[in-house]
Amino acid sequence: MYFRPLFLTTLALWTMTAQPALSNNIAETLQSQPLNGDEIPLNPHVKVGKLPNGFQYFILRNAEPKERVLLYLANKVGSIQETDKQQGLAHFLEHMNFNGTTHFPKNALVDYLQKSGIRFGADLNAYTGFEETVYQLPLPTQDPELLKQGMLIMRDWADGALLEDEEIDQERGVILEEKRQRGGLSHRMQEKTFPLLTNHSRYAYRMPIGTEEVLKNFKYSEIRKFHKDWYRPELQALIVVGDIDPAKIEQEIIAQFSTLKNPKNAPKSKKYNIPLSGKNQFLAFTDEEVTQTSFQILYKQQAKKTERLADYKTSLAKSLFIQLTNTRLGEQTREAKTPFLAASLSNGALLANLETNGIQIMPKPDSLQSSIRAVYATLKQIKEYGFTNTELERIKADYRTMLQQGLKEYDKTPSKAFMDEILAHYLKNEPAPSFEFLQPVLLKAVNEITLQDLMAYQGDFQATSNRDMILVHPQASKEVPQEETINAWLSEALQQPVAPYNEEVAETALLSSLPQPGTIVSESKDEKVGTETLVLSNGAKVILKPTTLKNNEIQITSFSPGGYSLYPSADYQSAVNATSIVVNSGLGPFSSLQLSRYLNGKNASASPFINEIGEGIKAYGSKEDLKTTFELIYGYFTATRLDKSFNEANLEKSKIALKNRHLQANAVFTDSIATLLYGNDPRKTGPTVAKIDQIDLARSLEIFQDRFADASDFTFVIVGNIDREQLDPLLTQYLATLPSTGRKEKFADNGVYPSEKAIIASIHKGHEDKSTVAMAYLSAYPDYSEYNNLLMDALSSCLTIKLTERLREKEGGIYSISVSPSLAKNPRKRFSMNISFTTSPELVEKLTNATLEEIDLIVKNGPSQEDLDKYIAEKVLSSDQQLEHNEFWLSYLLSSSVDGLEPARIFKEKELIKAIKKEEIQTLAKKYLNKEHFFQFVLYPEK
């Protein structure tokens, strides 16, 4: 459970708001409503209804994923409705709906759903915002009884919270720990800046998490009053999207929710706006953990809603203006002389009735004035000379490609995407048309946008009123300019002379020439898995898995053993950074900037990687652009280059970012743990400026070229809507002709592993009143096998359940806990069980002892059968779903090939899961949850 925070950096995306009101008649859909030519219709496949009590519902049948459904209960109530004595109770009430309802007392609701395979937190969840509270429940649809119970749960959430005294008091500690967990630099910054951003309106004093004073001391009657006043049907809607029968769902909704009643004399649901004062405001913020200077200018204005079809063109034009401006600003960061590390424009919703147009600048040390001057030179250049037609046509081509691809994959849209649209439609009155309707509207809009249309928005980023400036700086800053000084800098920057934009002309082809095609020398089929394995004339192996899981998607991955483990410590930094250095340099005749322009309008990409034990390339392409995808793969084997200037500028940025890393408590904590575990070994310890200085750019290129010098030991896996007639010529031309030397390589074991002896250590850094506990069992893992790994996964799940019950529900000392196994086969079989949580410093000893007690109970008695059954239910439920994703097959087939495992074993996975016995888990727990290999690290505040 969580609340939605406000992100201070607004998004450079257009917002779509407003929609015609829904009918008052039950089950009346918008298909029957007359529409004017410029109105935006709701997706006609959505069944819309409104009960006599005001409760609304939206139902959409969608079979992606199949045999699954999402149920959301949306309440138009959030923290903004709270009185002073109720601050935090909207969010608190959300928690209480999981702690006892009419038909599911105590923790029966979570318990029942876990037994059905629904994970608490990951699947079953809720959130509270300023203006809404939303409950989320995903369910399988094969079991009619479970679906019926799901409807009953939604009905209970609508008005059935029991709100028992004991449960309320128990939850106080949990929510206080959630508040503590959210504490940190970003929270402290929000506390200072949020009142300014919201003009000291009601929003500034209604953060959903609430105040500590209220959370500790509110009377039971206050939360019960809030529940009675605001959880009422006229402010609620049920949204159901998934593989269901809409008619049956509608009947169930009418039966369950028609009896809800609105309370008499309920408070009116008031719309709160943020007034525009016309003033300009300034805030300088510093903190002991701030590592870099940043400067933000936000121009607030009334939000422009998308209400008519013509509004799409308006919002799209502004989005293109921002993207093109950001591209020019980004180009400048390629040069070492540029005074800023990053700069961008943005536009996005703030809260209530406002949106912001923002300028964000991250200057290099002591370069704020020159950074402002450089950014405003770009803005003035655009104002005086505009954009070029080439720039506009490039971004239009990208947008058209996105629209075309989106329409081709529309019938594969996951239910979550539809759910988000309908939810925003109900809560925010945003339009939610079908993409079939919207795509030609947007295509027409982008085709009609002119250079003159874009220029209408340059003034949005140079307003003279309703401007907020926020300067964030390290405490050690030599000189902090005041508002008057920055105003003078801005005025001066606006007066500077500028020259027209000059775009360099690039080559038109990525590859200048190609060798004669190779051949496919052998083919074999696996009928069980539906794959074909090809061997090419240069020795490379290709595994093909045709699917129709996407209509126009082909994914590629590959692997060759070796990686940066083969290089000595002196080359380590050059090796581990080789991929980013080569990618930053571009390909063939193109710099990285020119390469991105070459790929404009093409749905193709390729990303090489080098890790500890191997190297490879991951790639993607639509059918139309698959040739380009293979060109990129071929290029990374044969046409790499080095852009020394751009990489030197990037390394300088990295050093600046690392300079003050020691100021951040979490960074000190993780770095200290690495040092305690691995000594000063450079392969495992944290990043430093000294390590950046060890990078030799030329050596990085040599290492990359060495890793991709021989394709004979590469395995390529290609998954998607494959057409062999199209694919085979690409395989023979681009993969079969890759360089081949026939070398046989393996990764190296450099022997960098944690201490064999247990370590208990405390690290003191920062002043936030919280502690982070990191516990782990680390050891060799001679029992590595897929089945034992499954048992370890089951063990971590059972531990999570028990530790959550003990530390959260019983002790009230944490908000959440992470328990995760890490199991490695290469370069050496290794095991770790990692446990971490955040709590009060005063509770560390009590909670760590409680954790060890629960672990000892599992070692002594094994997990409970009930907890194991919950794990089995969840794994069985997710087992079939993974087969419906190309990404799963891509990684699964590659790992199967590299490890020499039979791919058809996946079809026996559910039987293996169902056969797991608690005694098997206990055996591994006894062996590996061993006190001799126990490590514990605690971060305490310095005070």
Side-chain angles (χ1 to χ4, degrees):
M1 290 171 285
Y2 57 98
F3 68 87
R4 285 278 169 91
L6 174 78
F7 292 100
L8 297 179
T9 302
T10 50
L11 300 176
L13 299 172
W14 66 93
T15 57
M16 297 182 286
T17 56
Q19 180 67 26
L22 297 177
S23 166
N24 288 326
N25 298 324
I26 294 176
E28 183 175 1
T29 69
L30 288 183
Q31 289 172 286
S32 62
Q33 295 182 10
L35 293 170
N36 295 324
D38 200 31
E39 291 184 7
I40 305 171
L42 179 66
N43 184 340
H45 302 294
V46 178
K47 181 180 281 291
V48 181
K50 189 172 185 179
L51 304 178
N53 58 11
F55 188 89
Q56 298 184 51
Y57 58 85
F58 303 80
I59 307 168
L60 176 63
R61 185 185 184 280
N62 183 60
E64 293 290 335
K66 65 182 181 180
E67 298 181 338
R68 294 292 186 271
V69 65
L70 293 173
L71 294 87
Y72 277 29
L73 178 72
N75 300 267
K76 289 184 177 180
V77 55
S79 60
I80 202 68
Q81 276 83 26
E82 297 165 348
T83 65
D84 288 344
K85 293 190 294 184
Q86 295 173 339
Q87 291 183 66
L89 297 196
H91 173 243
F92 204 113
L93 179 54
E94 172 221 308
H95 275 238
M96 293 308 299
N97 255 324
F98 292 84
N99 290 336
T101 61
T102 303
H103 297 93
F104 299 89
K106 304 297 181 181
N107 65 344
L109 188 151
V110 173
D111 191 56
Y112 169 74
L113 290 171
Q114 285 181 326
K115 289 176 181 177
S116 302
I118 311 301
R119 298 170 297 171
F120 180 53
D123 299 321
L124 170 69
N125 215 321
Y127 77 85
T128 302
F130 289 95
E131 297 161 331
E132 75 273 0
T133 305
V134 179
Y135 297 87
Q136 308 166 353
L137 178 59
L139 292 174
T141 57
Q142 306 98 310
D143 183 351
E145 179 60 26
L146 179 58
L147 189 55
K148 185 177 180 180
Q149 290 294 100
M151 282 292 185
L152 188 60
I153 289 169
M154 306 308 281
R155 172 63 168 76
D156 270 12
W157 280 339
D159 83 331
L162 295 178
L163 302 175
E164 297 167 315
D165 295 0
E166 181 183 356
E167 294 295 327
I168 291 172
D169 288 336
Q170 183 65 33
E171 200 66 21
R172 292 182 198 265
V174 173
I175 294 181
L176 286 168
E177 288 307 317
E178 180 178 2
K179 184 176 176 66
R180 187 193 310 277
Q181 183 171 308
R182 296 180 187 280
L185 175 60
S186 61
H187 174 73
R188 296 193 294 273
M189 181 177 172
Q190 187 176 61
E191 283 187 325
K192 294 290 187 182
T193 58
F194 194 55
L196 177 108
L197 292 172
T198 55
N199 290 345
H200 299 276
S201 65
R202 185 179 180 89
Y203 287 90
Y205 310 102
R206 288 295 181 272
M207 292 301 294
I209 194 63
T211 68
E212 187 170 335
E213 175 66 22
V214 171
L215 295 174
K216 283 182 175 179
N217 302 305
F218 72 86
K219 296 179 180 179
Y220 306 132
S221 58
E222 283 294 341
I223 194 167
R224 289 170 186 150
K225 183 179 187 305
F226 189 88
H227 181 247
K228 181 182 178 181
D229 285 346
W230 296 109
Y231 272 55
R232 57 191 205 239
E234 63 185 0
L235 299 177
Q236 295 175 320
L238 181 64
I239 308 171
V240 183
V241 182
D243 195 2
I244 40 86
D245 180 341
K248 290 183 178 179
I249 293 293
E250 183 179 38
Q251 291 173 1
E252 187 69 19
I253 291 173
I254 294 170
Q256 287 281 10
F257 295 91
S258 292
T259 56
L260 292 173
K261 298 184 184 302
N262 292 297
K264 294 180 180 179
N265 303 317
K268 185 178 179 181
S269 182
K270 183 179 178 182
K271 176 76 173 177
Y272 293 93
N273 286 332
I274 301 174
L276 286 173
S277 65
K279 297 178 181 178
N280 292 331
Q281 303 178 99
F282 175 81
L283 174 69
F285 173 83
T286 189
D287 187 275
E288 61 184 6
E289 292 193 35
V290 171
T291 61
Q292 292 177 252
T293 298
S294 65
F295 180 57
Q296 187 173 37
I297 306 174
L298 294 173
Y299 298 97
K300 290 182 289 204
Q301 64 182 31
Q302 294 293 332
K304 292 180 170 61
K305 297 182 177 181
T306 301
E307 298 175 311
R308 318 290 293 183
L309 293 180
D311 295 334
Y312 283 115
K313 179 180 176 181
T314 302
S315 56
L316 178 57
K318 185 166 187 175
S319 177
L320 297 185
F321 172 85
I322 291 170
Q323 291 179 59
L324 289 173
T325 303
N326 288 343
T327 297
R328 286 201 185 177
L329 291 170
E331 288 175 17
Q332 295 180 45
T333 62
R334 301 176 60 85
E335 301 177 10
K337 65 180 182 180
T338 300
F340 55 82
L341 299 169
S344 64
L345 304 189
S346 65
N347 167 258
L350 180 60
L351 275 172
N353 54 308
L354 297 187
E355 68 179 23
T356 61
N357 301 304
I359 303 173
Q360 295 83 29
I361 304 172
M362 183 172 287
K364 292 178 180 177
D366 304 317
S367 300
L368 179 58
Q369 181 180 6
S370 54
S371 294
I372 289 173
R373 182 178 175 84
V375 169
Y376 274 82
T378 299
L379 296 180
K380 189 175 183 187
Q381 180 188 64
I382 292 168
K383 180 179 180 179
E384 292 189 5
Y385 301 103
F387 297 103
T388 68
N389 193 59
T390 303
E391 288 177 290
L392 179 57
E393 287 307 313
R394 266 201 307 265
I395 200 168
K396 280 186 173 185
D398 264 349
Y399 196 77
R400 290 188 196 101
T401 299
M402 182 188 71
L403 291 174
Q404 291 160 359
Q405 180 70 2
L407 190 60
K408 289 175 182 176
E409 299 291 355
Y410 186 55
D411 66 326
K412 306 293 187 182
T413 303
S415 292
K416 180 63 166 61
F418 288 118
M419 176 61 78
D420 290 343
E421 291 175 358
I422 299 170
L423 183 66
H425 170 72
Y426 172 69
L427 292 174
K428 307 294 184 184
N429 211 23
E430 295 184 3
S434 71
F435 192 68
E436 295 161 316
F437 172 86
L438 185 59
Q439 196 259 10
V441 173
L442 294 176
L443 196 58
K444 181 175 183 291
V446 74
N447 288 334
E448 291 178 350
I449 288 173
T450 65
L451 291 170
Q452 187 176 358
D453 291 329
L454 300 186
M455 298 312 297
Y457 303 102
Q458 54 87 21
D460 287 359
F461 298 88
Q462 295 181 31
T464 57
S465 62
N466 293 308
R467 182 195 70 191
D468 294 343
M469 295 195 300
I470 300 172
L471 174 63
V472 179
H473 61 90
Q475 288 184 342
S477 295
K478 294 179 182 177
E479 191 173 318
V480 181
Q482 298 303 303
E483 182 178 10
E484 296 78 12
T485 301
I486 294 179
N487 280 331
W489 291 349
L490 291 171
S491 297
E492 184 274 333
L494 289 169
Q495 303 304 316
Q496 63 185 307
V498 292
Y501 176 69
N502 183 28
E503 182 177 323
E504 57 182 311
V505 179
E507 298 289 334
T508 57
L510 174 61
L511 303 174
S512 57
S513 61
L514 290 169
Q516 287 296 312
T519 60
I520 299 171
V521 297
S522 69
E523 297 186 34
S524 60
K525 290 187 176 183
D526 185 330
E527 301 290 351
K528 292 180 181 178
V529 186
T531 59
E532 300 170 83
T533 300
L534 319 179
V535 177
L536 306 181
S537 52
N538 60 353
K541 182 167 73 170
V542 180
I543 300 170
L544 307 178
K545 168 69 174 174
T547 76
T548 55
L549 301 174
K550 291 285 187 179
N551 297 323
N552 194 32
E553 173 185 278
I554 297 170
Q555 294 199 44
I556 304 171
T557 191
S558 58
F559 183 80
S560 166
Y564 51 72
S565 67
L566 300 181
Y567 299 93
S569 295
D571 282 337
Y572 180 73
Q573 296 302 326
S574 299
V576 80
N577 289 283
T579 299
S580 61
I581 287 166
V582 167
V583 170
N584 287 337
S585 295
L587 209 54
F590 300 129
S591 67
S592 58
L593 176 61
Q594 293 166 339
L595 181 62
S596 69
R597 291 172 176 170
Y598 172 76
L599 294 174
N600 271 120
K602 298 182 177 71
N603 203 351
S605 67
S607 302
F609 68 86
I610 303 173
N611 60 31
E612 184 178 9
I613 62 171
E615 58 275 338
I617 296 177
K618 297 177 181 179
Y620 168 93
S622 63
K623 288 183 177 181
E624 298 82 1
D625 295 312
L626 195 56
K627 179 181 177 182
T628 301
T629 303
F630 278 93
E631 284 184 338
L632 292 168
I633 294 171
Y634 187 87
Y636 279 118
F637 274 88
T638 65
T640 50
R641 66 205 298 272
L642 179 61
D643 186 331
K644 188 175 181 181
S645 175
F646 183 33
N647 277 295
E648 285 177 344
N650 276 343
L651 294 181
E652 187 62 30
K653 289 182 195 177
S654 298
K655 289 196 284 188
I656 291 171
L658 289 172
K659 181 180 178 182
N660 293 321
R661 180 178 168 86
H662 65 282
L663 298 177
Q664 297 180 318
N666 287 334
V668 170
F669 188 47
T670 56
D671 289 351
S672 299
I673 291 173
T675 300
L676 289 166
L677 289 176
Y678 302 103
N680 292 314
D681 194 290
R683 294 177 182 267
K684 296 294 184 180
T685 48
T688 64
V689 171
K691 288 183 179 180
I692 299 295
D693 286 334
Q694 293 170 17
I695 298 172
D696 182 319
L697 296 177
R699 181 60 179 145
S700 290
L701 178 62
E702 289 177 359
I703 289 171
F704 185 94
Q705 291 174 336
D706 178 47
R707 290 298 82 225
F708 291 89
D710 179 20
S712 66
D713 62 351
F714 267 78
T715 297
F716 292 86
V717 177
I718 305 177
V719 175
N721 204 337
I722 295 168
D723 176 358
R724 286 293 301 272
E725 189 174 340
Q726 177 198 21
L727 184 62
D728 283 9
L730 299 175
L731 296 177
T732 55
Q733 178 63 79
Y734 293 100
L735 296 191
T737 56
L738 291 174
S740 174
T741 63
R743 67 186 183 188
K744 302 297 180 183
E745 287 187 317
K746 286 186 176 182
F747 52 80
D749 183 352
N750 291 296
V752 185
Y753 299 101
S755 164
E756 291 294 324
K757 293 184 178 180
I759 298 175
I760 308 293
S762 298
I763 294 95
H764 296 262
K765 184 66 179 176
H767 298 284
E768 193 78 24
D769 184 30
K770 67 176 180 179
S771 285
T772 301
V773 178
M775 311 166 79
Y777 293 88
L778 308 173
S779 69
Y781 185 36
D783 299 304
Y784 184 100
S785 71
E786 285 194 325
Y787 185 65
N788 282 338
N789 294 350
L790 190 63
L791 295 179
M792 286 295 192
D793 191 44
L795 173 59
S796 73
S797 176
C798 294
L799 276 171
T800 300
I801 293 171
K802 275 291 172 280
L803 293 176
T804 299
E805 289 175 358
R806 177 70 182 273
L807 304 188
R808 174 178 165 138
E809 306 304 334
K810 182 178 179 181
E811 306 290 351
I814 65 166
Y815 170 62
S816 63
I817 188 166
S818 171
V819 182
S820 60
S822 178
L823 311 168
K825 181 179 181 181
N826 297 313
R828 192 182 296 182
K829 294 176 181 177
R830 295 287 302 178
F831 160 84
S832 71
M833 184 68 75
N834 310 297
I835 303 166
S836 62
F837 56 86
T838 298
T839 189
S840 164
E842 290 75 23
L843 291 178
V844 167
E845 184 176 0
K846 178 182 179 181
L847 297 187
T848 53
N849 288 338
T851 300
L852 294 174
E853 284 177 16
E854 294 298 328
I855 292 171
D856 287 344
L857 285 172
I858 286 183
V859 169
K860 182 179 178 180
N861 304 318
S864 72
Q865 189 61 49
E866 182 181 27
D867 291 348
L868 177 55
D869 288 343
K870 290 176 180 177
Y871 170 78
I872 291 172
E874 183 270 314
K875 290 295 286 187
V876 168
L877 191 60
S878 63
S879 181
D880 288 337
Q881 287 297 306
Q882 65 185 354
L883 306 182
E884 300 300 313
H885 297 279
N886 285 335
E887 294 84 355
F888 166 78
W889 286 110
L890 200 70
S891 60
Y892 175 75
L893 292 172
L894 181 63
S895 63
S896 297
S897 177
V898 170
D899 292 338
L901 299 173
E902 173 54 53
R905 72 193 188 282
I906 190 62
F907 302 121
K908 299 177 182 178
E909 184 180 67
K910 283 199 293 188
E911 286 70 25
L912 283 176
I913 294 168
K914 292 176 182 178
I916 293 175
K917 293 180 173 55
K918 54 180 287 187
E919 292 78 14
E920 296 174 305
I921 297 173
Q922 183 185 5
T923 298
L924 286 179
K926 283 182 176 179
K927 185 171 183 179
Y928 291 102
L929 302 186
N930 190 316
K931 292 180 180 178
E932 293 181 4
H933 302 297
F934 175 71
F935 297 77
Q936 178 179 299
F937 308 96
V938 182
L939 174 64
Y940 288 102
E942 290 177 59
K943 64 181 180 181

